[in-house]
């Protein structure tokens, strides 16, 4: 069974007095509660400490760090000042604070202007974020502060002509202030013009740590020793934009329709056609709205690919699963890859090549323009085409479903594929 996450994830919070309430029907439903003041604790007594661990997201690693403290503790090192009253309403609230999407702050479309040239082949973008969160209900306080993460990793494809190799931003967000402190590895020099941050210089790279209100961030910028260093003024402006953008930063993931060819959208967002609601309806397991991974490449030639990974929710003993679903023992995390080819013939040809590497291939009529199911690269695979698009769903097994047969997995992936095919442009 996968290791538990370093903080509570998903809407598995206790319900109001009178008994626990079920998870909201994805993506909306009964309100999540707002965090109350925690019970009195001795100062500096840690609630839990999470050692450093690596979470692999696409091609980049994320180091997780968190030490939760009592209410009378503050985040060490302070942090930038995001002015304005603290309040939140709508779909993306952590208590009174607004959830912030990391790629909304870093904005892949602006890195060439903010950092330097990106070369001729576009960017590879990988991100982790949350779907809309149910509205908080002050009458139903939870037992712990709710937290969430967001990550944005941007890499120029043309390494030789680009001014930098990669830039990434990690955000760790809580429903209240003062619950994290800076770790021993997050020390460094100050950054003139930006208060409350620590800068750690390395050969061909720089890391910046900081906190703003309820949010903790890490910015990593790499250019390698083979390229001129990124100017300090560029780094200062980049960090300052992150600090000032927290108060009103975008919450929803950005749309991918900015790359166009002859007036037509050429980037199909895999997370738009593979929705959390369709996933939950297809597999009848509760789905975690705070655990979405997406990647895409901004290029103007060749096949255009985007991916989306969603996962089932961890078991919550305080709150029943949504009606018609259960909690899965283990995890089911399908990865959907959507590739747009020049035309339908090219899409079918690419699928034909893939089919030769699928063991036990079975044709599935009625999904898209033709589908096949089987096993490839140690995972179950369902692949189909729809017009010029090639869609592939890959899903492995965990300890909780290790005894599933191909028929068991097909029974779950086939309705999911049908839902995705219906949403394809």
């Amino acid at each position: 069974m996968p290791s538990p996450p370093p903080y509570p994830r998903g809407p598995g919070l206790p319900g109001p007095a009178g008994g626990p309430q079920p998870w909201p029907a994805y993506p909306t439903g009964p309100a999540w509660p707002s965090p109350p003041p925690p019970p009195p604790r001795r100062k500096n007594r840690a609630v839990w400490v999470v050692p450093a661990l690596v979470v692999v997201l696409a091609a980049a690693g994320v180091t997780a760090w968190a030490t939760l403290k009592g209410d009378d503790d503050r985040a060490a090192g302070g942090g930038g000042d995001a002015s304005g009253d603290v309040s939140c309403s709508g779909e993306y609230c952590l208590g009174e604070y607004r959830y912030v999407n990391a790629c909304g702050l870093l904005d892949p479309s602006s890195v060439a202007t903010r950092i330097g040239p990106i070369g001729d082949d576009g960017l590879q973008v990988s991100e982790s974020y949350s779907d809309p969160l149910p509205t908080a209900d002050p009458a139903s306080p939870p037992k712990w502060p709710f937290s969430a993460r967001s990550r944005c990793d941007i890499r120029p494809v043309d390494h030789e002509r680009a001014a930098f190799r990669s830039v990434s931003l990690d955000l760790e967000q809580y429903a209240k202030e003062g619950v994290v402190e800076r770790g021993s590895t997050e020390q460094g020099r100050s950054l003139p013009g930006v208060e409350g941050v620590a800068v750690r210089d390395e050969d061909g790279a720089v890391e910046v740590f900081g906190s703003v209100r309820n949010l903790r961030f890490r910015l990593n910028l790499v250019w390698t020793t083979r390229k001129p260093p990124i100017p300090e003024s560029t780094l200062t402006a980049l960090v300052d934009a992150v600090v000032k953008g927290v108060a009103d930063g975008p919450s929803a993931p950005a749309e991918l329709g900015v790359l166009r060819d002859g007036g037509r959208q050429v980037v199909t967002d895999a997370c738009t056609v593979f929705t959390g609601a369709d996933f939950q309806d297809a597999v009848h397991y509760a789905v975690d709205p705070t655990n979405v991974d997406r990647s895409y490449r901004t290029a103007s030639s060749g096949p255009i690919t985007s991916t989306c990974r969603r996962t089932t929710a961890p078991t919550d003993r305080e709150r029943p699963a949504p009606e018609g679903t259960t909690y899965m023992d283990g995890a089911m995390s399908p990865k959907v890859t959507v590739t747009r080819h020049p035309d339908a013939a090219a899409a079918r040809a690419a699928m034909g090549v893939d089919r030769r590497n699928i063991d036990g291939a079975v044709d599935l009529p009625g999904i898209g323009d033709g589908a096949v199911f089987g096993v490839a690269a140690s995972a179950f695979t369902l692949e189909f085409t729809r017009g010029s698009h090639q869609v592939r769903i890959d899903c492995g097994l965990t300890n909780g479903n290790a005894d599933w047969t191909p028929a068991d997995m097909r029974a779950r992936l086939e309705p999911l594929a049908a839902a995705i095919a219906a949403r394809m442009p």
Side-chain angles (χ1 to χ4, degrees):
M1 183 173 181
S3 300
Y7 50 80
R9 300 193 73 164
L13 304 180
Q21 300 296 308
W23 276 51
Y26 200 103
T28 59
W32 279 0
S34 296
R41 297 188 180 100
R42 292 175 56 191
K43 185 175 179 65
N44 291 331
R45 180 180 179 184
V47 179
W48 65 78
V49 179
V50 180
L53 71 157
V54 176
V55 179
V56 179
L57 296 177
V62 183
T63 301
W65 45 177
T67 304
L68 303 193
K69 308 289 283 185
D71 188 51
D72 52 354
D73 294 303
R74 307 296 293 177
D81 178 23
S83 60
D85 296 333
V86 177
S87 63
C88 181
S89 61
E91 295 180 316
Y92 285 95
C93 294
L94 300 176
E96 295 183 338
Y97 296 94
R98 177 166 295 281
Y99 170 82
V100 181
N101 182 289
C103 275
L105 288 184
L106 200 54
D107 186 7
S109 67
S110 72
V111 294
T113 301
R114 299 163 75 179
I115 301 177
I118 63 172
D120 299 330
D121 297 328
L123 301 168
Q124 181 66 42
V125 180
S126 301
E127 56 181 319
S128 179
Y129 60 86
S130 291
D131 275 343
L133 308 174
T135 305
D137 179 6
S140 304
K143 295 179 180 176
W144 58 76
F146 176 68
S147 57
R149 299 180 73 100
S150 183
R151 174 177 171 81
C152 184
D153 183 273
I154 304 169
R155 298 169 183 256
V157 177
D158 186 353
H159 301 308
E160 297 301 322
R161 293 182 175 86
F164 63 100
R165 177 61 62 90
S166 68
V167 60
S168 64
L169 176 65
D170 292 274
L171 306 179
E172 182 180 291
Q173 307 170 58
Y174 291 87
K176 63 184 293 295
E177 293 186 56
V179 295
V180 296
E181 69 176 13
R182 185 173 298 166
S184 59
T185 61
E186 300 171 44
Q187 308 300 322
R189 64 178 176 86
S190 61
L191 184 64
V194 184
E195 296 183 0
V197 301
V199 181
R200 188 169 64 192
D201 297 293
E202 301 177 4
D203 289 340
V206 66
E207 248 184 335
V208 182
F209 304 92
S211 59
V212 185
R213 299 196 313 196
N214 68 313
L215 181 149
R216 182 181 193 170
F217 71 86
R218 182 185 70 172
L219 178 74
N220 183 275
L221 179 59
V222 178
W223 56 87
T224 76
T225 56
R226 297 191 301 125
K227 296 181 181 294
I230 298 296
E232 183 86 345
S233 58
T234 298
L235 178 65
T236 300
L238 194 60
V239 175
D240 187 57
V242 169
V243 170
K244 292 180 178 177
V246 166
D248 301 307
S251 299
E255 296 183 357
L256 307 187
V258 294
L259 178 62
R260 295 181 178 275
D261 178 16
R264 296 179 301 168
Q265 180 175 309
V266 295
V267 178
T268 299
D269 182 2
C271 284
T272 297
V273 297
F274 174 31
T275 69
D278 288 344
F279 181 24
Q280 186 163 278
D281 289 343
V283 302
H284 304 296
Y285 294 118
V287 171
D288 187 351
T290 71
N291 193 357
V292 184
D293 298 330
R294 178 175 74 170
S295 70
Y296 60 94
R297 177 178 171 182
T298 62
S300 57
S301 61
I304 309 298
T305 298
S306 68
T307 71
C308 181
R309 186 188 300 276
R310 298 181 182 274
T311 190
T312 51
T315 300
D316 180 358
R317 304 188 187 283
E318 297 288 342
R319 184 184 291 267
E323 183 177 357
T325 72
T326 61
Y327 291 114
M328 183 176 182
D329 180 15
M332 184 177 180
S333 303
K335 177 184 176 182
V336 173
T337 302
V338 178
T339 303
R340 179 186 180 272
H341 293 274
D343 52 43
R348 290 193 298 270
M351 179 175 155
V353 172
D354 285 355
R355 183 189 177 101
R356 292 198 290 268
N357 297 315
I358 297 178
D359 294 331
V362 177
D363 290 321
L364 303 179
I367 298 179
D369 300 329
V372 62
F373 171 83
V375 177
S378 301
F380 289 100
T381 296
L382 194 158
E383 191 165 343
F384 67 90
T385 62
R386 180 68 180 265
S388 62
H389 288 91
Q390 175 189 7
V391 181
R392 178 172 175 138
I393 308 173
D394 293 296
C395 189
L397 299 175
T398 66
N399 290 341
N401 62 353
D403 60 344
W404 281 10
T405 66
D408 293 328
M409 184 64 80
R410 175 181 168 181
R412 291 162 174 83
L413 295 188
E414 194 166 350
L416 177 60
I420 294 173
R423 293 183 181 273
M424 292 300 299

